[in-house]
Amino acid sequence: MRDIVNEAGVKREVKKLLTKHGWYYWMPSANAFGTSGIADFNAVRSGKFLAIETKFGSNKPTPLQRRYLEQVAAHGGLTMVVNERNLDKLEELLKVEEN
């Protein structure tokens, strides 16, 4: 079992999984110079785009974060909200996208 006690722990595990499965990823700035609502992780592999919003516990995406994910999905990208309870679902998705 992963020792995850906060959102930083979720992000650490997402980084490991993206690296393990060969995705190039970046984490956009969350300061005043960044885009409001943009996902915590944006990743690309073999021409496929993936946006991941990370949360911990019962936290949910904000309306702006949901809108960003919806826009990515509307343009054919993959999206996922990941927390400490569904990291295995992210790994399943990454395995499927390897083929």
Side-chain angles (χ1 to χ4, degrees):
M1 183 79 184
R2 298 173 178 104
D3 185 27
I4 301 172
V5 297
N6 55 27
E7 188 171 324
V10 176
K11 288 179 180 178
R12 181 184 65 241
E13 295 301 319
V14 169
K15 288 177 190 178
K16 288 179 187 177
L17 288 172
L18 290 170
T19 299
K20 174 182 173 182
H21 292 280
W23 286 75
Y24 172 74
Y25 70 88
W26 63 100
M27 298 174 71
S29 178
N31 61 30
F33 300 106
T35 301
S36 296
I38 197 164
D40 293 315
F41 290 87
N42 289 286
V44 64
R45 182 177 187 278
S46 301
K48 295 178 182 175
F49 184 81
L50 170 62
I52 301 171
E53 183 60 41
T54 57
K55 295 295 176 187
F56 181 78
S58 61
N59 292 338
K60 304 283 185 217
T62 67
L64 278 175
Q65 291 167 337
R66 282 252 175 241
R67 179 169 159 74
Y68 179 80
L69 296 176
E70 289 166 0
Q71 288 176 333
V72 168
H75 288 279
L78 304 168
T79 66
M80 188 168 183
V81 177
V82 176
N83 62 33
E84 70 281 6
R85 295 179 306 276
N86 70 350
L87 283 159
D88 57 330
K89 299 293 183 195
L90 173 60
E91 184 150 33
E92 287 175 21
L93 172 67
L94 298 176
K95 284 180 182 177
V96 166
E97 293 303 322
E98 286 178 358
N99 301 322

